[in-house]
Structure formats: C-alpha cells, structure tokens
Amino acid sequence: MVRELLFIDKTSPLTYDGWLVPGSADVELVTSTKLVALVDSFIEHDSIIQWSDVTEYVREISSTYGGVTIGVTIGGRPLMLHYRTDVFAAANLSAPNTWEDMVLAAQILNSTDFDGDGIDDHSLCLQLVACAADGQILVAALLATMTQTGGPLTGFLWDPETMQELGGSSAMTHTMELIQELLPYSFDSCSHPNPHFMEGRCAITIAPLSFFKGVFSTPWKGVIGTAMVLGAMRVLNRQTGRLEECTPSLCPHAVRERTYDGSKVLVNRAPHFGLGGFSGFVNAYDDAANQAAVYSFWSFMSEPIYSKELVMTTSVVGPYRKSHLDTSAQSLDAWGALGYDMPAVKKYLTTLAVALEHPNFVPDLRILGGFRYLDTLYTALVNASIGMEPAQIAANVQAEHAAILASSGSLDVVQQSLRAGLGILAIVGSPPHTPPITLDTGNTHLAIILGVTIPVAIVLSAVLVVLFVVRHRRRSLFGRLLVPLPGEDTTLVVTDIMGSTPLWETLGPGVMECALATHNAVVRKALGKWSGYEQATEGDSFLLAFHTPGNALGFALQLQTSLLEAAWEPELLQHPLCAPTEMGPSAALQGAGGSDGRFALLRAALLLAQGEQTSFNRLCSIATGPSSILPPAGLWDDTQAMLVPAGSHSTLAGARSAESHSGAHRAGVNHRAHARNASSLDGRDGRDSLRHYQFFKRAAKDVKADTASARHLGQARELLQSLHVEPASWYTSAASLDSSGGTPMAITMAVFMRVAWTSEGRPAGTAAVKGQVTVFQGLRVRIGMHSGVQKGDVERNATSGRVYFTGVPLALTKAVADAAPGV
C-alpha cells in the first residue's frame, strides 16, 4: 500500500480519497508525497470523535507529525503475553517476566500433552517466519526492551538525538540468540488467532487482542492468563555499545521483578504497540466535499461508542482509547453479554491499560524509510531460523540500515523526520495541506474510494456493510446527521411548554424536574427519527432545524402523540394544566346523525358535502347555544389557511411547503391539533389522506343521488373503526365541496371543529368516557415552524463548531409558537 501511494502521488493522485496505513508509513507519506491533508481543523470542530479519549502516546505520537495531526487513529493491536494458567500451575510456575525466563518455561513445558489427546505438544505458539508482519513486529518488540530505556522519545532503532543506529548493535545479537532458543519449542503459523493455541496445543503465545477475543470460543477460555510483553534484565548502553545489567540510571523506568531463580532484578519493559497505530488519512488533492466525507468516515470508525463495538466484536481492531479500557460494571456487563469471561476481561484490560500508559511505551517506527527498516527485521528472523550466527545477522542488519539511510536523503533530513515523527521537533518544511472547514458535504450519495493495507480490509468491509444498513435520509454516507443548509425548504421549529411558569411554582420538589426529563427524552427521540438538528435549548424550549417542511411536520405530529402516551408523574396529572382532557362528538354533531359518534361524524361530513347551507347553519346555531361546551378560545386558529381546495388530496397533516410561502406553518401552532389516533406522516406518505378524500367524495355524490348503499355504510364503519374517530381535517376535503364538487365553501377546519367537537376535563386516574378521545395529558407543548433560511441567517460558533440559525426566520418561528395560549 505504501509503495503504491508513493507511485500514485506522481501519477494519479486522486486514485484514493483516503487510506489506512500503519504508523511506520506515516512519515514516508508526509515527507515524500503531497497526499496528506491535516485533520486538526476537522477534529477541533468534531464534537463526536472525543479526541482526548485516545490514549496519550497514541494521540500525541502515532497520529501526528511535527506537532500537527495527520490522521485519525482507527485501531491498535498492542502485543500481550497470553498463557495457560492451568498448565503453569501444574508445573508450579508463575508467568515469566523476562525473555530468559520465557526460554526456561518453554524448555520445562515442552513435550507436554496440553489438550489431552495423548500427543506431546509444543510449549509455544509464536507467529514468526510463517507470518512476515507478525514476525518483524515480534523482533521489534524483543529488541526494543534492550534498546529503548528512556521513553518513547528516545527511539528503539535510531537515536533521534545522535542518529546512532541501534538495530545492528549487540542488542540485535542477543535478540537473535533468544529467537534461536525459542524457535525449537514453537508452532509457527500465520492465522489470527493462532489455531494451535485455540486448539489447546501450546501454553504460551504473544499476540494482540484478536487472540484474547478468539480464545473465548474454546474450552480453554477460563484458564487464560494475560501479562505485559516480557522485559529485559540487560540493556544496551548507548555510550559503550555493550549490553549491561539494568541500573536505575541506565533503566530509569525499570522496576524490580522476580525471576525464576528467585532473585529480584531490575527489568526494563517496553510495551510495543504492535501492528497498531493504524491511522485513516484524507487526500489533500481532493475537493472539500470528498475531504469532509472521508474525514467523517474515519471519525465514525474512531468515535468512542462505535470503535468500542469494533474492539469487542472484530478480530483486527484492538483498544487504543481510554474508554476501551473501562472496567466498570456496566462495561464488563457488555463484554459478558458477548460471552466473555468478565474476570478475565477485567484482568486483560487492566494489564493493557498499564502497557498503553507505560512511560517506556514503544510506538511504531516513525522515520523516513520506516517500512523498509521493518523489512530488515523480518530478514533477520528468517536468517535466524536457518541457523545464521547471531553476530552475523546483526552485522547484516547494520549494513542494510546504513544503505536505507543513504538512499533516504541527507542525514539532517532523515533526523528531522525522525524527530518530527516522535513529536520532538516542529513540522519540517511546508506543512501538509489543510482542508477548508465546511458545514457538511450536503450529499448523501457521495462515494469515496479507500486504500487499505490487507489486514484492515476485513474491518472496513464489515463497517461498510453496517453503514449501508444504518443509512437514512438526511444523513451522510456514514450515518452522521447532516446539518440543514440554507434554502427555501429548511424549516426551523421552536417548541415551548405551555404554562411552565405556574407549574414550576406550584408542583412539589422534583416533579417538574422529572417531567422535564421525560419531555426532553420524547423531543429528542422524535428529533432523531425525523433527522432534525438540535441547535440549542432556551429554558424548556428546543430550537430545532429540519431539511424539509415535511420532516418538521412529521416531527411535530410524532411529538404530540408521544407526549400524550408518555409516562407522566401522577402528581403532574393532578395539576389543572396537565390533567387529561377528552374530546368527543358535540351535541350538535350527534343531533345531525344519531347518538353513535362514529356515524355522527360521517353523517355530518356527508351533510356538509351536499352543500346544504341550512344544515350547516343549523349545526352552527346548535353549537353556539348555551348547552355546548366549546374548546377554549384561540384553541383553533380561525384562518382560511386551513381550507383544503376541492380537487386536492392534500390535508393539513400532509401540507407541502409550497402552500405556505410566507414560511409560517400554522399547522404547528397548537399543541394538540389532532386526536390521539391521528395519522402521521410516519410510513403513510399521504396515501391514507387520498383514500379518505376519495371515499368521502364518492359518498357525497351517492348521498346527493340518494343512492347511499349498505356497501358505503359498511366502508364507513370499517374506516371509522380503524381510525377511532379520525381528526376532522380528513373531512374538510369533503366538507368544502359544493353541490357541483368544484368550488370551495368558506368552511375552515376551525369552524368545523368548533361545531363538531366538545372538550372536557377528566380527573387523573379515571377511565376515558366511551366514544371520547384523550387529546391532552401531561405537559402541553406548542410548536412554531417557519420555512426558508438564507445564508445570512446561519452562524457558526468558532469554538464549538456548532451551527445556529438566527435572524428573522428564528424570530418568526418563535412568534408562531407564541401565538397559542399559555404562559
């Protein structure tokens, strides 16, 4: 992959929009190509990625160059020692702390039957010669315990201060000696996790998290111990070039540990990040939209929640965030739900946390030609396996490193690359390209092409499958909610709790706090379903934005229904402002069609559809009489905006934005404009409204011809039963037809509802009256809407990166919300 990127930079730089490579390739790409775009500005404005949650060394070294962030960390595969606790206990052995003790353990345990099949097994399962990538990393991990003693900024293959070459030193000679001692006791393979250990045929392995996860599907899952990768008692003295016993000055981070001979000696540990340090990059040649899309993809893979899912469920991605190492009861329960042994997980994560935060942590090799240096380590391993003298192997490595250094540029340039790669030195030369910050790509169908190294392709494939499953309208290619852009369809919404001031003043302690928490949860659930953007809250009000008026209206309808069905505190429902309210057919409506409310509503619709003004006047006169209980004044907005023209199958619930050029969507003015079982836009797409309109239009024609048959009455019964007294907006279509079926009459929904319905309170805890519908219960929320936002009405907070809609559109939205009654 790295060699390919070096080539396409000179030939076709737009071959990939992004790529995923290990840290050993970072410096090469930054210094030798112009492909790498900085992502600092993206991260700064990304509230989801939680960059500070990434462990310090990974965040400050593996993803940076010269103090600037060049990639998004996607995965870690830190190496750990795994061993069979039952086998070690039977041999009266503890887990080894040094490489020399590992050799002793291998000798003691070898030729033991570990799996009970009657055949003697090897003591080790190390992936060495058979697996180049794993083999070179294991050599690097072993070597680093002897060459790096002063922390990650001192280097393990080259000294960043003096450019002393460490790979061909006496430390490499002893590394090859240890490798040759271990090889006879080891199964060698190249599978993840190691199949021999999974089958119980060996007692020790050094592997990343993939092994730990895989072993829990085996009979041995309860007897697997975990420890940090082994340490060295003797380390390289860079002044003398010799291996010497650890001393506090030579090994400042070493601690005293017990060895198999019973002594306690200083042991230098240098936990290696292994094949980890993988980072996702953005192509600097790409346009802003593609760059934003690619960054969004890497951010999605790296953010805490989803990345932890990958850590727990895939074999390639290992922990690299603090939250990945969480050992709280809730976190362990999540592991346990997947079948893991929770005590073993806790031990593993605790040990890994110590390794990742170790002061002598070893990151990937970060120098010009890094991947070529790692290749030499694998060559050394192969030479050790065929019996070459360790000293000769070390000499060969030193010569190969000198040749790579000579072909990489001047010594000063290479040293600067190493120091910048470790974060010691500010960025050298011209920095990589910094992409412009955009609100979003605005393109839900944007395709990207990614280049990956082979081990990560499996993870990306799984992630892309998930992404295609979770994609949703108004979300990006990666499932991230898109902020609505300025335009005529962008719709602002303001919600406000009616009567909140007296509720806070009169209700007991904690009641309104609990009610507000319920309210907020209901609002945000509906907001997510309709792809809304929460720009802010003001007191108990939400300031929201949607991509279309239809989405905003769908949100409003779902919110009202959900508020009605929410589990409110009994004390709240005792308050007059929150007590249940019923609505049902008024005396006028019943007088027009009998005592049965369902047929009364149908009969009233048919009478009005006939164009019989006398019938309408009679209903109005009855409704305005002293016996009628009308809805509160102002409950229904008396406006011609509610009139549905003849020949249109649009209804109030499905009104399109084009019918409200002023931007004020009065459909959202009132809290409960529809009864409990009102149809929403959820899954119906206006088809029901068309069906209802066509039925009533046909029924009205039959009535005029005096041919209303039992078939139509049967259809009416089924329709009304399924709707449980559908809101009157469905009948406005029929009611607004005159005898010719073409000219709308001056009948608004407000007028019709005043005539047709009566409302009354119901004591909390009592059953609803038969034939009536509960329309209010709990907190009552009024909603204002406005469509149409100009660029000048959008502001962006430079610190948080959040987008805010302001100016006249927001003022109009608030004014619409304030039009309904309430304090």
Side-chain angles (χ1 to χ4, degrees):
M1 184 72 234
V2 178
R3 292 179 174 87
E4 181 185 3
L5 290 171
L6 294 175
F7 174 75
I8 67 173
D9 176 62
K10 309 297 183 184
T11 55
S12 52
L14 289 175
T15 300
Y16 298 115
D17 298 305
W19 51 89
L20 190 65
V21 294
S24 56
D26 294 358
V27 174
E28 194 83 26
L29 294 179
V30 172
T31 57
S32 301
T33 77
K34 296 181 180 179
L35 289 170
V36 179
L38 298 185
V39 294
D40 288 281
S41 52
F42 281 128
I43 291 174
E44 179 184 355
H45 296 89
D46 188 347
S47 61
I48 295 176
I49 196 171
Q50 296 184 36
W51 196 236
S52 61
D53 181 51
V54 177
T55 56
E56 180 181 2
Y57 292 132
V58 177
R59 182 181 71 249
E60 299 298 330
I61 297 179
S62 294
S63 298
T64 65
Y65 179 79
V68 295
T69 309
I70 56 176
V72 177
T73 303
I74 300 300
R77 301 188 71 204
L79 296 179
M80 301 291 283
L81 175 74
H82 306 279
Y83 62 98
R84 285 273 297 274
T85 56
D86 58 332
V87 172
F88 272 73
N92 198 28
L93 288 175
S94 60
N97 291 320
T98 67
W99 293 105
E100 287 77 11
D101 278 358
M102 183 171 172
V103 173
L104 286 174
Q107 294 170 345
I108 293 169
L109 298 175
N110 200 56
S111 299
T112 302
D113 179 12
F114 299 126
D115 58 356
D117 64 355
I119 302 174
D120 291 345
D121 296 309
H122 287 72
S123 53
L124 306 178
C125 290
L126 302 178
Q127 303 199 156
L128 296 167
V129 178
C131 207
D134 289 356
Q136 67 187 23
I137 292 300
L138 186 56
V139 172
L142 202 166
L143 177 68
T145 61
M146 291 178 266
T147 58
Q148 180 179 300
T149 60
L153 302 187
T154 60
F156 78 94
L157 205 60
W158 292 91
D159 188 317
E161 300 298 328
T162 65
M163 287 305 289
Q164 178 184 0
E165 194 275 331
L166 309 174
S169 65
S170 57
M172 176 59 79
T173 301
H174 189 47
T175 296
M176 292 297 105
E177 291 171 347
L178 290 169
I179 290 292
Q180 289 182 336
E181 289 187 80
L182 293 171
L183 279 171
Y185 306 111
S186 179
F187 283 113
D188 196 2
S189 66
C190 192
S191 298
H192 299 88
N194 191 296
H196 302 293
F197 202 109
M198 297 284 286
E199 295 166 6
R201 294 162 54 197
C202 51
I204 308 172
T205 189
I206 296 176
L209 180 67
S210 58
F211 165 80
F212 178 77
K213 288 184 282 190
V215 79
F216 279 96
S217 62
T218 73
W220 326 109
K221 67 178 183 180
V223 292
I224 303 299
T226 304
M228 267 203 297
V229 171
L230 307 163
M233 297 180 293
R234 296 190 301 153
V235 299
L236 178 68
N237 184 327
R238 296 187 184 185
Q239 301 298 321
T240 65
R242 297 192 298 268
L243 287 183
E244 299 177 8
E245 298 291 332
C246 262
T247 64
S249 59
L250 192 58
C251 306
H253 303 300
V255 297
R256 292 195 177 276
E257 302 185 54
R258 192 171 298 280
T259 61
Y260 280 174
D261 64 6
S263 60
K264 292 193 73 174
V265 299
L266 284 174
V267 176
N268 183 64
R269 303 264 188 171
H272 198 286
F273 204 36
L275 286 175
F278 280 98
S279 295
F281 289 83
V282 176
N283 193 331
Y285 289 99
D286 240 334
D287 59 44
N290 271 12
Q291 288 178 345
V294 174
Y295 170 80
S296 180
F297 178 69
W298 300 136
S299 172
F300 175 81
M301 287 190 68
S302 181
E303 62 91 14
I305 297 176
Y306 186 69
S307 63
K308 188 168 183 177
E309 289 183 19
L310 293 177
V311 166
M312 293 193 298
T313 59
T314 68
S315 62
V316 178
V317 178
Y320 58 93
R321 285 179 171 271
K322 300 170 189 175
S323 56
H324 295 167
L325 307 172
D326 180 16
T327 56
S328 66
Q330 182 179 4
S331 177
L332 293 177
D333 284 345
W335 285 90
L338 295 173
Y340 294 99
D341 180 76
M342 289 190 286
V345 171
K346 184 174 183 179
K347 169 66 174 174
Y348 176 84
L349 294 178
T350 301
T351 304
L352 182 56
V354 173
L356 290 176
E357 296 169 4
H358 198 282
N360 200 33
F361 177 82
V362 181
D364 281 311
L365 182 61
R366 302 179 63 75
I367 188 174
L368 267 173
F371 64 95
R372 292 187 290 164
Y373 288 115
L374 290 179
D375 286 345
T376 67
L377 302 186
Y378 178 69
T379 301
L381 176 61
V382 173
N383 287 335
S385 71
I386 61 176
M388 184 179 288
E389 288 295 323
Q392 183 60 53
I393 296 174
N396 290 351
V397 168
Q398 188 174 54
E400 290 168 353
H401 287 184
I404 295 171
L405 178 64
S407 65
S408 299
S410 69
L411 182 61
D412 287 343
V413 169
V414 177
Q415 183 177 14
Q416 287 178 345
S417 74
L418 175 60
R419 289 169 60 81
L422 292 174
I424 303 171
L425 186 70
I427 196 165
V428 180
S430 300
H433 174 65
T434 302
I437 296 299
T438 58
L439 297 182
D440 208 296
T441 65
N443 186 348
T444 59
H445 302 288
L446 189 63
I448 60 173
I449 302 173
L450 303 175
V452 299
T453 50
I454 292 175
V456 188
I458 300 171
V459 176
L460 281 178
S461 297
V463 171
L464 288 172
V465 169
V466 173
L467 288 173
F468 277 107
V469 171
V470 302
R471 280 180 64 186
H472 189 276
R473 280 190 72 199
R474 310 304 171 189
R475 294 182 181 271
S476 71
L477 175 65
F478 320 112
R480 183 75 53 80
L481 177 69
L482 302 177
V483 179
L485 298 175
E488 62 179 11
D489 282 341
T490 296
T491 302
L492 304 187
V493 170
V494 171
T495 71
D496 184 48
I497 298 175
M498 297 170 62
S500 60
T501 300
L503 288 173
W504 280 105
E505 293 172 349
T506 57
L507 288 173
V511 176
M512 268 303 283
E513 286 85 349
C514 183
L516 190 62
T518 300
H519 161 269
N520 292 352
V522 169
V523 171
R524 290 188 170 114
K525 183 177 181 179
L527 184 69
K529 178 176 179 58
W530 293 97
S531 301
Y533 170 72
E534 179 183 338
Q535 62 167 320
T537 57
E538 292 181 353
D540 54 39
S541 295
F542 278 81
L543 278 58
L544 312 172
F546 294 84
H547 294 270
T548 67
N551 276 22
L553 193 55
F555 159 81
L557 293 174
Q558 180 178 333
L559 175 60
Q560 303 298 10
T561 301
S562 299
L563 287 169
L564 181 64
E565 297 172 346
W568 301 108
E569 291 291 313
E571 186 176 343
L572 181 76
L573 297 179
Q574 296 293 336
H575 195 284
L577 290 175
C578 301
T581 299
E582 310 291 346
M583 291 194 74
S586 66
L589 187 60
Q590 293 185 33
S595 60
D596 185 47
R598 291 172 297 173
F599 288 103
L601 188 57
L602 172 64
R603 181 64 183 275
L606 297 181
L607 287 171
L608 293 173
Q610 285 183 281
E612 295 182 3
Q613 191 64 33
T614 55
S615 298
F616 180 71
N617 290 338
R618 180 167 61 86
L619 289 173
C620 287
S621 64
I622 297 174
T624 56
S627 62
S628 177
I629 303 175
L630 294 177
L635 181 63
W636 306 107
D637 184 20
D638 214 351
T639 171
Q640 289 295 326
M642 296 303 171
L643 184 63
V644 180
S648 168
H649 61 266
S650 297
T651 66
L652 174 64
R656 301 178 64 85
S657 60
E659 297 170 357
S660 299
H661 293 292
S662 67
H665 284 261
R666 299 180 181 271
V669 172
N670 193 11
H671 167 68
R672 201 68 70 187
H674 298 280
R676 178 169 181 166
N677 291 300
S679 297
S680 73
L681 298 181
D682 187 9
R684 298 195 179 188
D685 297 328
R687 288 169 291 184
D688 279 357
S689 70
L690 176 59
R691 179 169 62 88
H692 301 159
Y693 165 73
Q694 289 174 335
F695 170 78
F696 282 111
K697 184 176 180 180
R698 185 174 66 250
K701 181 178 179 181
D702 288 344
V703 168
K704 284 181 288 186
D706 197 22
T707 58
S709 63
R711 176 173 60 86
H712 287 128
L713 291 177
Q715 291 177 349
R717 177 186 294 274
E718 292 175 2
L719 179 63
L720 290 170
Q721 285 177 338
S722 68
L723 297 176
H724 189 60
V725 186
E726 188 77 7
S729 60
W730 297 126
Y731 307 101
T732 308
S733 320
S736 62
L737 295 176
D738 65 6
S739 57
S740 65
T743 305
M745 297 170 60
I747 303 173
T748 67
M749 187 185 76
V751 171
F752 183 78
M753 291 299 287
R754 281 203 181 103
V755 171
W757 293 86
T758 181
S759 65
E760 59 185 47
R762 172 170 61 84
T766 62
V769 178
K770 183 179 180 180
Q772 292 189 324
V773 178
T774 303
V775 292
F776 291 103
Q777 182 170 275
L779 295 180
R780 304 185 182 191
V781 177
R782 52 190 180 184
I783 304 174
M785 299 183 190
H786 170 84
S787 288
V789 175
Q790 303 299 318
K791 289 184 179 179
D793 301 322
V794 181
E795 296 179 358
R796 185 184 184 89
N797 186 292
T799 302
S800 67
R802 293 196 62 78
V803 175
Y804 297 96
F805 298 89
T806 61
V808 173
L810 183 61
L812 285 173
T813 309
K814 291 182 176 180
V816 173
D818 292 340
V823 181

